[in-house]
Amino acid sequence: METVRGRIKNYVFHNDENSYSIARLVTEDLKQVTLVGYFPVMCEDILYEFMGSWVKHPTYGEQLKVESFKKCEEQSVSGLISYLSSPFFHGIGPKTAEKIVYEFGIHAIKMIMEDKAILKKIGLSNVRIEKFYQQLLENQTNEHILISLYGFNLSGKMAMKLMNKYQMLTLEKLEENPYRLVDDIEGIGFIKADEIASKLGVPKDDPRRKKAAILYALETLAYQNGDLYLLHTQLINYTEQVLGDPMDLSDAIAALIEEKRITIEDDRYYLTMSYVSEIYLADKIHQLIHVDSLNIDLSYMKTLLDAVEIQKNIQYTDIQKEAIITALAHPFSIITGGPGTGKTTIIDGLLEVYRLYYKLNLKHPTIHEKIALMAPTGRAAKRMKELLDMDAKTIHRQLGYNYDGEFLFDEYHPLPHDLIIVDEASMIDLFLAKKLFGAIKIGCQVVIVGDVDQLPSVGPGQILSDLIESETIPTVRLNQIHRQAKDSKIIRLSRLVNEQVLTPEDLTSEQDVYLYRAHPEKIKDILIKQIQGALSEGYNLIEDIQILAPMYKGDLGIDALNQTFQHALNPNKEIKMTYGDKTYYVGDKVIQLINDPERLIMNGDIGVIKAIKTNAQDELYMIVDYDDNEVMYEKGDLDEINLAYVISIHKSQGSEYKIVMLPMIRSYMHMLKKELIYTAMTRAKRFLIVLGDMNLLIYAANHLSEKRQTTLKARLNGFITHESAEEDPMDDLSPYDFMG
C-alpha cells in the first residue's frame, strides 16, 4: 500500500451517487498526483493522507487508486482558515474563520469539539455556535466513519455505499447488527458481514450471527441448488457449514419463524418469500385452468387446421395436430419436446388456426393487445420473432419492467391479451413465474412451450417440470423427429444423451458433429484453429460461433479460456479498459450479467465492444453494441459485463448458434450431468464440435442432476393443502432477480 500526502487541487470528476472521483493532488514537495477511487468531496485546503496502489492509465499515466484516506493531524494556519470558511460551514466567512484560528490556534477544531462554548470568546451567538458545531460534528463524523469502515477491510466504493445508506448512523447501525448489511447493501454477503462482526467483537454464538447464517443457508446455498426449502437436518447441516462449528440453532430458528422470515410446513423450512410465492403461483394457475368452458367448436377448428395444412403446404403429424388442437381447446396447456420435434412449426400453425377461428388480422397494429409471444431471454425472443414473423418480447419487457426494477403489469393491472404463448419455459424460475402468471387475466388462453429435459432455471424452482408432473394441465409431449431433422447427427447424439443410451459406438464424427479426442493441454490450440477456420469460411465470431464450458475456474475454465481467445482472436490492443483482473479491448465479445431495463439490456445479452473513448473528465468509457442497441459503460459499470468468447452452458439457454464448441475434460467431472450436456448440444444449429475425452459424454449421460426440492407439483395436485396466499408482504425485498 502506497501513501501520498497533500492537498486536493481540484476535482476532475465526481459522481454524487456513488462518490467515484478523479482528483488532482499537490503533494508537500509540490508534485502533482492524480487520485482515482471512491471518496467524497473534501476541502481543497486541508492536508490529507491517501493510501492506495499505483495504476498506469494508457493515456494519462500513473494514478493512485485510493483505498482509504485520513486527515493529517498537523495542518497549516492558512489551510485551517480556508477549511473553516469553506462551503462545508454555512455562515462562517473568512473573517470569522481567521478569528477562530488566531484565538485557538492550530488545534481549534479539537478544542471546539471538546467545548463549543469557547466560541463565545470571539462573539458568536448561541444560535451560530450550535449551527457551526453541528456542521463541524457532521464533517468530523463522516471522516471518522469512513476511517472506521476502512478498518473493516471495506473498499472505498463499499464504504461509500454504507455511508450513502446509513449516513451519520452508519457505525451505530453496524454495531447494532452488522448482519443487516446482507439485506441492505448489494454486494455484501454473509462472509463479509461476518468478518465485520468479528472485528466488532460479536461472539460466534451470537443469536444475530446464527439467524444470518440460517437465512444465508436458505437463500444462498439452497437457491444455488434450485431448492425452495430445506429439511430440518439439511438446514442444520448447511447452517453449521456456514458457521464453521456445531451450535444449538433451535432458538434462532424459532425467532426467525416468529419474525415471519422463514416458514415451516411439516419438516420443510422455507424462506417466507419463497413459501408465499409458491402458494400464490399454485392458486393462480388453478384459477387460470378452471375457467368456464371456452365453447370451442372442435369440428370447425379441425377443419381450419386442414385448411392451414393446404395453405402452408405442410403435412402435420398426428401428434402435431393433437398439440395444436389441445392448445386451442383448453385455457392452459403445455407443449414439450426436444430439438427437431417441430415446436416452432406447431406454434406457427396454432397462431394461424387461432387467427382464422377468431377472424383476426395478425398484421393489424392492435394485434399485440390480443396475442403475446414471450420468452425469458432477449435472444430467445428474437429467434421467436424471426421464425414466426410476429413480434415477440422477453417476459420482463412484456410485463413492463421499468427503470426502477418494477413491473407495470401485475395482478392488479393484468395484461390485456386473450392468447399468451411462452417459449423456452424451462428457464422460468419461481419468482419470474409468480410475476408472469400473476399478471395474466383470468380467461386468457395460455400455452407454455419448452423442453423439459433441458437444464432447469438458474433461479430456484423447476416450474415446467412441476407443471407437467402435476398432471393437472393438458400436456402434449413431442417425441417424433421430423424429416428435416432426421439427418442431423446433432439431434441424434443429443437424443442418445437425453435417453441415457449413449454408447462408445455412437462417438464418431459424422456430418454436423466433429469429435476430437485430445489431451487437455492441446485443447486451446485446437479451438483457436477451429475458430480461425470457421472465420475463414465466413462465419461471424459474435453471432455464429460460441464456446460453452460448465465452470469458471481452472486452466480450461471460462475465465482462462476467455483470456486465451481474447489474446488470439482480437488484434486491437491499442486502447484498453481494465476492471479487476479483466482487460477489455475494442472488438471484444462481451455478455451482460444483470438486467438493466433503463438501457434496454438484459442478463445474457451478447454484444461487441465498438469503441473505447475518453470523456471530458479524462475518464475512459466504452460503447458496446447489442444488436444495434449501443450502450455506454463507465469504469464503475464494468462489473456488469464479462468476456463472452466462452460462456457457461446455463447462460446459453434460450440461444442457438451455428457452431458450438464444447471442451470435455476430467476437471469438469463434478459438473457433468445429463441435463447440462444435453442443453449444450442442443444449442448447436449447424455444427457441434466436442474436444477432449469423449468417454466423459457417456459419463455425463448416465448422471442425472438431483431433483430440486419444491412443492409446486404437490400443491397443484392437492397433496398439500394450504390457505390461499395474500400478496407477499416482502415481495419488493426479493433478493433474486431472474437470471436468464
Side-chain angles (χ1 to χ4, degrees):
M1 190 83 74
E2 300 287 338
T3 301
V4 296
R5 288 160 57 100
R7 292 175 174 80
I8 299 286
K9 180 184 178 186
N10 66 294
Y11 280 79
V12 175
F13 173 79
H14 179 75
N15 184 323
D16 287 330
E17 290 185 13
N18 61 15
S19 292
Y20 182 75
S21 302
I22 302 173
R24 309 288 190 210
L25 180 89
V26 177
T27 65
E28 291 176 297
D29 56 359
L30 302 181
K31 291 181 180 175
Q32 186 165 290
V33 174
T34 300
L35 306 174
V36 296
Y38 295 86
F39 50 88
V41 172
M42 292 177 279
C43 179
E44 296 177 0
D45 292 293
I46 290 290
L47 188 65
Y48 285 95
E49 209 170 74
F50 290 88
M51 285 70 77
S53 54
W54 293 104
V55 294
K56 191 155 189 177
H57 190 283
T59 307
Y60 303 106
E62 281 201 322
Q63 302 174 333
L64 186 75
K65 183 180 178 184
V66 176
E67 294 296 332
S68 63
F69 71 91
K70 65 179 181 180
K71 189 190 297 177
C72 296
E73 291 294 329
E74 69 276 17
Q75 298 289 341
S76 68
V77 169
S78 61
L80 192 54
I81 291 171
S82 294
Y83 175 59
L84 295 177
S85 60
S86 72
F88 291 121
F89 306 102
H90 302 295
I92 304 294
K95 287 186 179 179
T96 304
E98 283 180 7
K99 283 183 183 179
I100 292 170
V101 176
Y102 290 147
E103 177 69 32
F104 305 117
I106 203 72
H107 300 295
I109 293 175
K110 184 179 178 184
M111 294 171 66
I112 296 166
M113 296 303 295
E114 289 173 353
D115 181 11
K116 60 188 174 185
I118 64 173
L119 289 169
K120 289 181 179 178
K121 290 184 181 180
I122 61 167
L124 292 187
S125 67
N126 287 338
V127 172
R128 287 185 72 191
I129 288 173
E130 186 60 29
K131 183 178 179 183
F132 175 51
Y133 176 76
Q134 291 300 327
Q135 291 171 339
L136 196 61
L137 179 64
E138 182 177 348
N139 275 274
Q140 297 295 109
T141 302
N142 285 347
E143 289 193 8
H144 169 68
I145 290 170
L146 279 173
I147 291 166
S148 299
L149 293 178
Y150 295 143
F152 295 133
N153 200 27
L154 290 172
S155 67
K157 181 178 183 179
M158 195 58 72
M160 291 308 304
K161 268 190 181 181
L162 266 67
M163 282 280 290
N164 291 336
K165 174 72 177 177
Y166 303 128
Q167 299 180 351
M168 298 278 283
L169 297 175
T170 299
L171 295 182
E172 287 88 334
K173 293 285 187 184
L174 281 184
E175 288 170 5
E176 178 189 314
N177 183 7
Y179 297 100
R180 72 188 309 143
L181 299 180
V182 179
D183 290 328
D184 290 355
I185 308 295
E186 186 180 351
I188 291 188
F190 175 84
I191 294 170
K192 175 54 76 174
D194 202 36
E195 183 184 320
I196 294 170
S198 176
K199 290 184 178 180
L200 286 167
V202 175
K204 287 197 169 187
D205 61 350
D206 189 284
R208 294 170 297 176
R209 183 171 186 258
K210 291 181 184 179
K211 286 160 64 176
I214 291 166
L215 293 172
Y216 181 82
L218 278 166
E219 189 174 299
T220 305
L221 301 182
Y223 278 10
Q224 281 175 359
N225 297 328
D227 296 330
L228 289 189
Y229 65 83
L230 294 177
L231 300 174
H232 185 265
T233 53
Q234 292 174 320
L235 182 62
I236 300 301
N237 290 338
Y238 276 35
T239 305
E240 288 181 348
Q241 286 176 31
V242 174
L243 293 169
D245 296 293
M247 292 185 192
D248 180 6
L249 300 173
S250 54
D251 287 348
I253 292 172
L256 288 169
I257 292 172
E258 177 70 22
E259 294 166 15
K260 298 191 183 322
R261 300 195 71 182
I262 66 175
T263 298
I264 180 172
E265 184 180 62
D266 298 329
D267 188 41
R268 299 182 298 274
Y269 292 78
Y270 304 76
L271 285 173
T272 298
M273 178 182 59
S274 304
Y275 179 74
V276 174
S277 294
E278 191 181 67
I279 290 176
Y280 176 88
L281 179 60
D283 287 343
K284 185 58 186 283
I285 289 172
H286 271 303
Q287 293 173 40
L288 291 170
I289 295 169
H290 299 114
V291 298
D292 293 337
S293 172
L294 296 175
N295 294 318
I296 297 294
D297 185 339
L298 278 178
S299 177
Y300 178 47
M301 193 166 276
K302 289 176 181 177
T303 301
L304 291 177
L305 182 55
D306 292 338
V308 169
E309 276 190 305
I310 297 169
Q311 172 198 324
K312 291 184 174 289
N313 192 25
I314 190 172
Q315 187 172 350
Y316 296 115
T317 63
D318 289 343
I319 194 73
Q320 286 180 315
K321 288 182 178 180
E322 181 188 343
I324 293 171
I325 296 300
T326 299
L328 291 171
H330 292 87
F332 199 120
S333 60
I334 298 172
I335 299 169
T336 184
T341 55
K343 296 191 295 294
T344 304
T345 303
I346 289 169
I347 298 174
D348 181 57
L350 185 160
L351 285 168
E352 186 62 19
V353 175
Y354 187 87
R355 176 188 75 81
L356 293 169
Y357 189 89
Y358 291 102
K359 298 178 174 57
L360 301 174
N361 178 0
L362 296 184
K363 300 300 180 185
H364 195 277
T366 60
I367 196 66
H368 70 276
E369 296 176 2
K370 298 276 187 185
I371 300 173
L373 306 183
M374 306 182 205
T377 68
R379 291 179 76 91
K382 182 183 175 186
R383 195 174 80 250
M384 201 178 185
K385 183 176 181 179
E386 289 169 351
L387 293 172
L388 297 169
D389 191 28
M390 189 172 172
D391 191 34
K393 296 179 180 177
T394 64
I395 296 171
H396 279 81
R397 197 154 295 160
Q398 191 73 65
L399 294 179
Y401 190 55
N402 64 21
Y403 299 164
D404 300 320
E406 298 171 346
F407 293 86
L408 178 64
F409 294 101
D410 54 26
E411 57 269 42
Y412 306 111
H413 309 91
L415 293 161
H417 309 96
D418 298 320
L419 173 66
I420 289 175
I421 301 174
V422 184
D423 198 8
E424 297 288 355
S426 62
M427 299 175 66
I428 300 174
D429 68 25
L430 171 68
F431 299 121
L432 186 62
K434 176 177 179 283
K435 293 289 186 186
L436 170 61
F437 292 114
I440 296 176
K441 69 181 183 183
I442 305 302
C444 172
Q445 279 187 269
V446 181
V447 183
I448 303 298
V449 183
D451 186 348
V452 74
D453 295 319
Q454 280 189 34
L455 284 168
S457 57
V458 174
Q462 49 189 16
I463 302 302
L464 181 60
S465 174
D466 282 347
L467 292 180
I468 292 171
E469 291 182 15
S470 73
E471 298 183 352
T472 59
I473 299 164
T475 300
V476 178
R477 195 181 281 268
L478 309 171
N479 49 28
Q480 185 176 341
I481 301 297
H482 287 265
R483 276 197 313 272
Q484 306 93 309
K486 278 184 178 174
D487 292 335
S488 169
K489 174 74 182 252
I490 297 172
I491 289 176
R492 280 187 281 131
L493 191 66
S494 62
R495 285 197 77 168
L496 292 171
V497 168
N498 192 39
E499 293 167 5
Q500 297 186 275
V501 292
L502 187 67
T503 67
E505 290 72 31
D506 299 312
L507 299 177
T508 57
S509 297
E510 186 181 328
Q511 295 145 295
D512 50 3
V513 172
Y514 296 89
L515 306 178
Y516 289 86
R517 288 170 172 80
H519 290 292
E521 62 269 18
K522 300 285 187 185
I523 286 177
K524 288 181 182 178
D525 290 338
I526 296 172
L527 280 169
I528 290 169
K529 288 176 183 174
Q530 289 295 316
I531 293 170
Q532 289 171 337
L535 293 175
S536 68
E537 291 290 323
Y539 289 98
N540 182 285
L541 183 61
I542 308 301
E543 291 292 327
D544 301 335
I545 305 168
Q546 189 59 62
I547 303 163
L548 304 178
M551 56 191 285
Y552 283 85
K553 302 304 177 188
D555 188 48
L556 286 174
I558 292 167
D559 290 336
L561 286 173
N562 265 322
Q563 290 185 2
T564 296
F565 298 132
Q566 179 191 51
H567 177 74
L569 301 170
N570 188 353
N572 306 312
K573 302 294 194 299
E574 295 81 16
I575 305 175
K576 65 182 179 182
M577 279 185 76
T578 301
Y579 183 84
D581 59 351
K582 294 184 175 67
T583 301
Y584 298 96
Y585 303 98
V586 173
D588 272 336
K589 182 177 182 178
V590 294
I591 185 169
Q592 173 74 10
L593 301 177
I594 64 170
N595 290 335
D596 189 341
E598 187 171 353
R599 297 192 289 181
L600 301 177
I601 46 173
M602 304 297 279
N603 182 359
D605 286 352
I606 289 179
V608 60
I609 299 176
K610 189 173 181 181
I612 296 177
K613 301 179 179 180
T614 306
N615 62 20
Q617 290 79 34
D618 291 339
E619 186 181 20
L620 284 171
Y621 67 94
M622 70 168 64
I623 302 292
V624 179
D625 184 359
Y626 295 97
D627 291 327
D628 296 326
N629 174 27
E630 293 189 356
V631 178
M632 186 183 84
Y633 292 84
E634 296 177 337
K635 186 158 185 136
D637 301 324
L638 294 186
D639 58 348
E640 297 178 8
I641 63 171
N642 196 10
L643 291 172
Y645 299 99
V646 187
I647 63 172
S648 71
I649 296 168
H650 278 93
K651 289 283 186 190
S652 74
Q653 279 183 277
S655 300
E656 285 184 345
Y657 311 94
K658 290 178 181 176
I659 301 174
V660 165
M661 300 184 184
L662 183 64
M664 293 292 292
I665 58 171
R666 290 196 168 269
S667 60
Y668 293 165
M669 277 186 73
H670 69 286
M671 298 284 292
L672 297 181
K673 308 291 183 187
K674 182 203 83 169
E675 296 86 349
L676 188 83
I677 298 304
Y678 172 73
T679 301
M681 288 179 166
T682 53
R683 300 309 91 206
K685 196 173 178 182
R686 196 171 291 179
F687 295 105
L688 172 67
I689 300 171
V690 185
L691 308 96
D693 186 346
M694 296 306 115
N695 292 324
L696 292 175
L697 290 177
I698 297 175
Y699 171 86
N702 288 288
H703 284 76
L704 296 172
S705 298
E706 289 186 20
K707 204 72 174 168
R708 295 181 167 190
Q709 294 183 173
T710 71
T711 33
L712 179 61
K713 169 187 168 183
R715 296 187 198 284
L716 286 171
N717 56 31
F719 292 164
I720 298 176
T721 56
H722 55 263
E723 293 182 9
S724 294
E726 298 295 326
E727 174 61 22
D728 184 356
M730 294 183 291
D731 193 52
D732 292 337
L733 300 179
S734 171
Y736 188 81
D737 185 22
F738 173 71
M739 306 294 277

